[in-house]
Structures are given as structure tokens and as C-alpha cells.
Amino acid sequence: MVLRLEIFFLLRACRVLIEEYGRHITRIAVSLFEAIAQTLNLELSSHQKSDYLLESTGLIRVYRYPPSDKTAGEALGMEVHTDSSVISILKEDETGGLEIMKDEEWFRVKPVADTLIVNLGDMMQAISDNEYKSVEHRVKKKDMTTKRHSVCYFVFPQRDCVIKSSNYKPFTYSEFEAQVQADVQSLGTKIGLLRFTPESPLFL
Ligand SMILES: O=C(O)CCC(=O)C(=O)O
Ligand SMILES: [Fe+2]
């Protein structure tokens, strides 16, 4: 009974914290998006701005990467991928492990206390007409015994907003998401924006 009450209070405290974190991180994502839109000279109405980055789509994932024993083999982190989001904002702990691909080389992101990491996702690449790249990244823990925690926020466009650019056929986020899910199911991997490139052999 005492334990249950403790868990109840712990969960409630967690919820309050995560909700507050969510409010701040959303504010940061919106400011970043506005700044990026300016650098791209995208003259967006406030309606278009909130269609391209819809605050209510923001989600927070809290990850725990447990220590793994030898039998778990390569279970040392997260596979290479790009995020489907517009913007992702990550907070990793002091153990580090996040790596990003730049000019065909992997770089370890050095963990810095009280610092957030901003990744741009597939939707930003499309919105910016490839001016900004959706960064390939992965997580590699230092070693088997290390535990790692991270708190990751992702924000997306409004599901039915049509994203128009010269590099991709017009698509909505719903279509993109459905295509990603279909590819993961049938091919075991995400193809992503390549599916929406007219010249790509993968174009449907
Ligand atoms: O745990 C991390 O630091 C990154 C997680 C991540 O890349 C993702 O969830 O897309
Ligand atoms: Fe990611």
C-alpha cells in the first residue's frame, strides 16, 4: 500500500515535470522554426507557420538504454535513421553516445551539461527544399555496462497540410507517415523522402 502510494506520487510528479518541460521545449521549437523560416525567406502567414509546425503534434519520449550483457550482442543503442519530424530537440545524459553523420563521417556529439541538441528532420528538409538536411544519426553507448537516458522531443506538421517544394512531389505528413510504415513493414527499413522524389526509381 505504501509502495503504491509512493509510485502514485512519483508518477504524478513526473507528469507535472514532463508537462512543464513540454511547454518550454515547444516554445523553443516554435522560435527556432520561425528563425529558420526567416533564413530561408519563407514568407509564411501565421496560419502556414502553424501548419508546418503544429505545436499540438509535439511528443516527448523518455528513453532508457539499459546495460546489456554479451548475449545481447549489438544492443548498444539505436540504429542509423533520420527523424520524420520538422525539428527534434534532444537532451542526453553525461554518458553521451549520440552520433551524427556529416560528409560521410560519423561524429560523436559531446555531451555538454545543461545543453540541448537540435536535430532537423525529414519535414524540415522538404519544407526548406533541401536547404537544410535531415541529419542521419544513431546512438552508440560507450560500452555494454553503461546505462544511458535521454529525453527527446519531436514536432510535426499538421497531418493534412500539403508540403510543396521543387524537389519532392507535393505530399501531406499523413501520406509520408503511411509510406514510412508501409516500407518498414514490407522492406524492414524506412525509405523516407526518396519515395517522394520524382526521379527516384523508388517513386511510386
Ligand atoms: O536517445 C537519443 O539520444 C536519440 C533518440 C533518437 O534519435 C530518436 O528517438 O529518434
Ligand atoms: Fe532520432
Side-chain angles (χ1 to χ4, degrees):
M1 184 62 187
V2 173
L3 188 66
R4 272 213 201 141
L5 260 184
E6 270 181 17
I7 290 174
F8 171 80
F9 284 119
L10 197 68
L11 286 177
R12 204 173 62 173
C14 254
R15 196 183 68 201
V16 172
L17 260 181
I18 295 274
E19 279 173 356
E20 185 171 0
Y21 186 74
R23 277 192 293 278
H24 291 298
I25 211 84
T26 304
R27 188 170 43 77
I28 293 172
V30 169
S31 305
L32 279 172
F33 182 72
E34 285 177 358
I36 291 173
Q38 265 184 23
T39 67
L40 294 168
N41 295 322
L42 295 180
E43 278 167 22
L44 302 176
S45 65
S46 53
H47 187 258
Q48 282 169 314
K49 262 188 225 157
S50 64
D51 270 357
Y52 278 167
L53 183 142
L54 184 63
E55 293 180 28
S56 59
T57 63
L59 68 94
I60 293 175
R61 287 200 194 123
V62 180
Y63 291 102
R64 173 175 172 271
Y65 297 81
S68 33
D69 56 35
K70 288 231 161 46
T71 53
E74 284 294 297
L76 280 177
M78 192 178 284
E79 294 290 331
V80 182
H81 65 282
T82 58
D83 294 345
S84 298
S85 57
V86 182
I87 291 179
S88 310
I89 304 181
L90 322 179
K91 175 75 193 95
E92 62 169 356
D93 67 18
E94 68 291 342
T95 62
L98 182 69
E99 298 188 352
I100 58 147
M101 171 68 92
K102 185 171 183 287
D103 301 330
E104 311 206 345
E105 252 190 90
W106 283 109
F107 288 87
R108 269 187 104 78
V109 178
K110 192 169 150 219
V112 179
D114 302 326
T115 303
L116 298 169
I117 299 157
V118 177
N119 278 352
L120 302 181
D122 300 336
M123 294 305 107
M124 181 60 89
Q125 178 165 330
I127 291 168
S128 73
D129 227 346
N130 286 359
E131 196 66 30
Y132 289 101
K133 289 281 185 290
S134 179
V135 68
E136 274 191 291
H137 57 286
R138 67 184 181 192
V139 177
K140 276 198 143 190
K141 283 197 297 142
K142 277 206 299 275
D143 54 52
M144 298 276 197
T145 54
T146 312
K147 270 191 262 164
R148 177 180 188 271
H149 293 92
S150 61
V151 182
C152 305
Y153 166 87
F154 307 87
V155 67
F156 300 87
Q158 201 264 93
R159 300 187 65 76
D160 300 323
C161 148
V162 179
I163 297 175
K164 293 194 187 117
S165 66
S166 54
N167 286 287
Y168 305 100
K169 73 163 193 160
F171 65 89
T172 63
Y173 182 69
S174 308
E175 288 168 335
F176 182 83
E177 191 186 41
Q179 188 61 58
V180 169
Q181 279 170 6
D183 286 338
V184 169
Q185 266 182 14
S186 61
L187 308 170
T189 190
K190 167 179 166 181
I191 306 293
L193 282 174
L194 266 185
R195 278 283 191 211
F196 296 85
T197 315
E199 59 275 9
S200 162
L202 296 168
F203 181 69
L204 292 178

